[in-house]
Amino acid sequence: MVPLGVILVVAAVFSPSLRNGFVNWDDQFNLTDNPHYRGLGWANLRWMFTTFHAGPYQPLTWVTLGADYLIWGMDPRGYHLTSLVWHAATVLAFYFLALRVIRLVRGDSHENSLPLRLGAAVAALLFGVHPLRVESVAWATERRDVVSGLFFILTLLAYLKACRPDGQASRRRWFALSLLAYAASLLGKG
Protein backbone atom coordinates (compact mmCIF):
# COMPACT_ATOMS: atom_id res chain seq x y z
CA MET A 1 0.00 0.00 0.00
CA VAL A 2 2.88 2.39 0.65
CA PRO A 3 4.04 2.55 -3.02
CA LEU A 4 0.46 3.14 -4.18
CA GLY A 5 0.16 6.16 -1.89
CA VAL A 6 3.40 7.58 -3.32
CA ILE A 7 2.16 7.05 -6.88
CA LEU A 8 -1.13 8.79 -6.08
CA VAL A 9 0.66 11.80 -4.58
CA VAL A 10 3.00 12.06 -7.58
CA ALA A 11 0.02 11.79 -9.97
CA ALA A 12 -1.82 14.52 -8.06
CA VAL A 13 1.23 16.81 -8.08
CA PHE A 14 1.74 16.42 -11.83
CA SER A 15 -1.92 16.31 -12.88
CA PRO A 16 -1.95 20.02 -13.86
CA SER A 17 0.50 19.14 -16.65
CA LEU A 18 -2.37 17.32 -18.39
CA ARG A 19 -3.79 20.74 -19.26
CA ASN A 20 -0.58 21.79 -21.01
CA GLY A 21 -0.46 22.17 -24.74
CA PHE A 22 2.58 21.58 -26.86
CA VAL A 23 5.36 24.02 -25.97
CA ASN A 24 6.23 26.54 -28.65
CA TRP A 25 9.89 25.70 -28.32
CA ASP A 26 11.01 22.34 -29.61
CA ASP A 27 7.67 20.53 -29.36
CA GLN A 28 6.84 22.36 -32.56
CA PHE A 29 9.98 21.14 -34.35
CA ASN A 30 9.80 17.60 -32.90
CA LEU A 31 6.07 16.93 -32.82
CA THR A 32 3.60 19.34 -34.38
CA ASP A 33 5.64 19.99 -37.55
CA ASN A 34 7.22 16.52 -37.79
CA PRO A 35 5.20 13.90 -39.69
CA HIS A 36 7.93 11.21 -39.52
CA TYR A 37 7.23 9.92 -35.99
CA ARG A 38 3.45 9.69 -36.47
CA GLY A 39 2.73 5.98 -36.33
CA LEU A 40 4.58 2.70 -36.03
CA GLY A 41 4.70 1.62 -39.66
CA TRP A 42 7.92 0.44 -41.31
CA ALA A 43 8.69 3.89 -42.70
CA ASN A 44 8.16 5.44 -39.26
CA LEU A 45 10.27 2.83 -37.49
CA ARG A 46 13.06 3.14 -40.07
CA TRP A 47 13.07 6.89 -39.50
CA MET A 48 13.01 6.46 -35.69
CA PHE A 49 15.97 4.08 -35.69
CA THR A 50 18.10 6.04 -38.17
CA THR A 51 17.44 9.71 -37.34
CA PHE A 52 19.42 12.18 -35.32
CA HIS A 53 16.52 14.64 -35.57
CA ALA A 54 17.34 17.70 -33.44
CA GLY A 55 20.63 16.10 -32.40
CA PRO A 56 20.16 13.09 -30.10
CA TYR A 57 19.76 9.47 -31.14
CA GLN A 58 16.69 8.34 -29.17
CA PRO A 59 14.76 5.68 -31.11
CA LEU A 60 12.96 4.22 -28.10
CA THR A 61 11.56 7.63 -27.21
CA TRP A 62 10.42 8.13 -30.81
CA VAL A 63 8.64 4.75 -30.62
CA THR A 64 6.73 5.90 -27.51
CA LEU A 65 5.81 9.14 -29.25
CA GLY A 66 4.69 7.20 -32.34
CA ALA A 67 2.47 5.06 -30.13
CA ASP A 68 1.09 8.24 -28.57
CA TYR A 69 0.18 9.51 -32.02
CA LEU A 70 -1.68 6.27 -32.77
CA ILE A 71 -3.62 6.52 -29.50
CA TRP A 72 -4.10 10.27 -29.03
CA GLY A 73 -3.53 11.80 -32.45
CA MET A 74 -2.22 15.33 -31.91
CA ASP A 75 -3.98 15.88 -28.57
CA PRO A 76 -1.22 17.08 -26.21
CA ARG A 77 -3.12 15.85 -23.13
CA GLY A 78 -2.47 12.27 -24.20
CA TYR A 79 1.25 12.89 -24.62
CA HIS A 80 1.42 14.43 -21.16
CA LEU A 81 -0.62 11.58 -19.68
CA THR A 82 1.79 9.06 -21.18
CA SER A 83 4.76 10.94 -19.74
CA LEU A 84 3.04 10.97 -16.35
CA VAL A 85 2.48 7.20 -16.54
CA TRP A 86 6.17 6.68 -17.44
CA HIS A 87 7.17 8.89 -14.51
CA ALA A 88 4.85 7.03 -12.12
CA ALA A 89 6.41 3.73 -13.24
CA THR A 90 9.86 5.22 -12.62
CA VAL A 91 8.84 6.35 -9.13
CA LEU A 92 7.57 2.85 -8.38
CA ALA A 93 10.84 1.33 -9.61
CA PHE A 94 12.73 3.90 -7.54
CA TYR A 95 10.76 2.80 -4.46
CA PHE A 96 11.99 -0.78 -4.93
CA LEU A 97 15.52 0.46 -5.60
CA ALA A 98 15.47 2.53 -2.40
CA LEU A 99 14.06 -0.46 -0.49
CA ARG A 100 16.89 -2.66 -1.78
CA VAL A 101 19.60 -0.11 -1.03
CA ILE A 102 18.32 0.56 2.50
CA ARG A 103 18.25 -3.18 3.16
CA LEU A 104 21.82 -3.51 1.88
CA VAL A 105 23.04 -0.64 4.03
CA ARG A 106 21.30 -1.98 7.11
CA GLY A 107 22.51 -5.51 6.43
CA ASP A 108 19.06 -7.07 6.75
CA SER A 109 18.38 -8.08 3.16
CA HIS A 110 15.17 -9.98 3.95
CA GLU A 111 13.48 -7.64 6.40
CA ASN A 112 10.31 -5.94 5.19
CA SER A 113 9.35 -3.83 8.21
CA LEU A 114 7.09 -0.80 8.12
CA PRO A 115 9.93 1.66 8.94
CA LEU A 116 11.97 0.21 6.09
CA ARG A 117 9.07 0.56 3.64
CA LEU A 118 8.30 4.08 4.88
CA GLY A 119 11.93 5.10 4.39
CA ALA A 120 11.85 3.81 0.81
CA ALA A 121 8.51 5.57 0.27
CA VAL A 122 9.90 8.90 1.47
CA ALA A 123 12.89 8.49 -0.85
CA ALA A 124 10.60 7.66 -3.79
CA LEU A 125 8.29 10.55 -2.94
CA LEU A 126 11.17 13.03 -2.82
CA PHE A 127 12.47 11.69 -6.12
CA GLY A 128 8.99 11.77 -7.65
CA VAL A 129 8.05 15.33 -6.76
CA HIS A 130 11.50 16.90 -7.05
CA PRO A 131 11.45 20.05 -9.20
CA LEU A 132 13.95 18.50 -11.62
CA ARG A 133 11.23 16.04 -12.67
CA VAL A 134 8.78 18.77 -13.76
CA GLU A 135 10.38 19.45 -17.13
CA SER A 136 10.52 15.74 -17.91
CA VAL A 137 6.84 15.17 -17.20
CA ALA A 138 5.27 18.46 -18.30
CA TRP A 139 7.10 18.96 -21.62
CA ALA A 140 6.30 16.46 -24.38
CA THR A 141 9.73 16.64 -26.03
CA GLU A 142 11.35 15.72 -22.72
CA ARG A 143 9.75 12.27 -22.85
CA ARG A 144 13.30 11.03 -23.35
CA ASP A 145 14.06 11.70 -19.67
CA VAL A 146 11.24 9.54 -18.32
CA VAL A 147 11.91 6.74 -20.81
CA SER A 148 15.64 6.69 -20.14
CA GLY A 149 15.11 7.16 -16.40
CA LEU A 150 12.81 4.18 -16.02
CA PHE A 151 15.18 1.85 -17.82
CA PHE A 152 18.15 3.21 -15.85
CA ILE A 153 16.43 2.47 -12.53
CA LEU A 154 15.53 -1.00 -13.85
CA THR A 155 19.21 -1.43 -14.78
CA LEU A 156 20.24 -0.74 -11.21
CA LEU A 157 17.59 -3.06 -9.78
CA ALA A 158 18.63 -5.92 -12.06
CA TYR A 159 22.31 -5.33 -11.36
CA LEU A 160 21.76 -5.40 -7.60
CA LYS A 161 19.84 -8.65 -8.05
CA ALA A 162 22.77 -10.03 -10.11
CA CYS A 163 25.18 -9.19 -7.30
CA ARG A 164 23.28 -11.31 -4.76
CA PRO A 165 25.08 -14.48 -3.73
CA ASP A 166 22.58 -17.01 -5.14
CA GLY A 167 23.13 -19.48 -7.97
CA GLN A 168 25.45 -18.62 -10.86
CA ALA A 169 22.77 -19.15 -13.54
CA SER A 170 20.45 -16.72 -11.78
CA ARG A 171 23.24 -14.17 -11.55
CA ARG A 172 23.95 -14.40 -15.27
CA ARG A 173 20.29 -13.91 -16.14
CA TRP A 174 19.97 -10.84 -13.91
CA PHE A 175 23.23 -9.41 -15.25
CA ALA A 176 22.02 -9.95 -18.84
CA LEU A 177 18.74 -8.28 -17.92
CA SER A 178 20.64 -5.33 -16.45
CA LEU A 179 22.57 -4.96 -19.72
CA LEU A 180 19.35 -5.05 -21.74
CA ALA A 181 17.73 -2.44 -19.51
CA TYR A 182 20.86 -0.29 -19.82
CA ALA A 183 20.77 -0.56 -23.61
CA ALA A 184 17.10 0.50 -23.51
CA SER A 185 18.05 3.44 -21.31
CA LEU A 186 20.67 4.50 -23.84
CA LEU A 187 18.18 4.15 -26.70
CA GLY A 188 15.76 6.39 -24.82
CA LYS A 189 17.98 9.44 -24.55
CA GLY A 190 21.00 10.56 -26.54
Side-chain angles (χ1 to χ4, degrees):
M1 286 310 276
V2 173
L4 179 61
V6 171
I7 298 299
L8 291 174
V9 169
V10 168
V13 166
F14 284 102
S15 65
S17 72
L18 299 177
R19 294 189 301 267
N20 291 354
F22 290 119
V23 177
N24 193 13
W25 183 253
D26 53 356
D27 282 353
Q28 186 173 9
F29 179 68
N30 287 318
L31 303 173
T32 59
D33 294 344
N34 178 9
H36 301 293
Y37 82 93
R38 296 179 187 169
L40 296 175
W42 288 114
N44 305 106
L45 291 171
R46 183 174 35 254
W47 181 84
M48 292 170 188
F49 280 89
T50 59
T51 191
F52 286 86
H53 183 77
Y57 182 70
Q58 55 185 19
L60 189 55
T61 296
W62 286 118
V63 168
T64 69
L65 292 167
D68 272 354
Y69 179 77
L70 291 175
I71 297 167
W72 313 109
M74 291 304 294
D75 184 353
R77 291 174 296 195
Y79 290 73
H80 296 303
L81 177 61
T82 303
S83 291
L84 180 55
V85 169
W86 275 90
H87 182 58
T90 305
V91 170
L92 182 62
F94 190 89
Y95 167 81
F96 289 109
L97 177 64
L99 194 62
R100 178 76 178 132
V101 169
I102 293 169
R103 284 179 182 152
L104 285 171
V105 169
R106 290 186 52 188
D108 48 5
S109 62
H110 298 294
E111 184 185 343
N112 201 18
S113 66
L114 182 61
L116 184 76
R117 289 182 289 141
L118 286 176
V122 168
L125 183 63
L126 291 174
F127 170 81
V129 300
H130 194 279
L132 287 175
R133 305 285 72 82
V134 174
E135 180 180 307
S136 304
V137 178
W139 184 6
T141 290
E142 285 303 306
R143 168 76 56 83
R144 56 187 166 230
D145 285 352
V146 291
V147 170
S148 179
L150 175 60
F151 285 109
F152 183 71
I153 300 294
L154 293 175
T155 298
L156 296 174
L157 279 168
Y159 182 77
L160 288 174
K161 192 84 163 166
C163 292
R164 287 182 28 191
D166 9 9
Q168 192 67 14
S170 174
R171 289 180 65 163
R172 280 192 290 262
R173 281 193 298 270
W174 283 107
F175 186 69
L177 190 59
S178 75
L179 289 175
L180 285 172
Y182 186 61
S185 178
L186 293 176
L187 291 173
K189 182 177 181 176

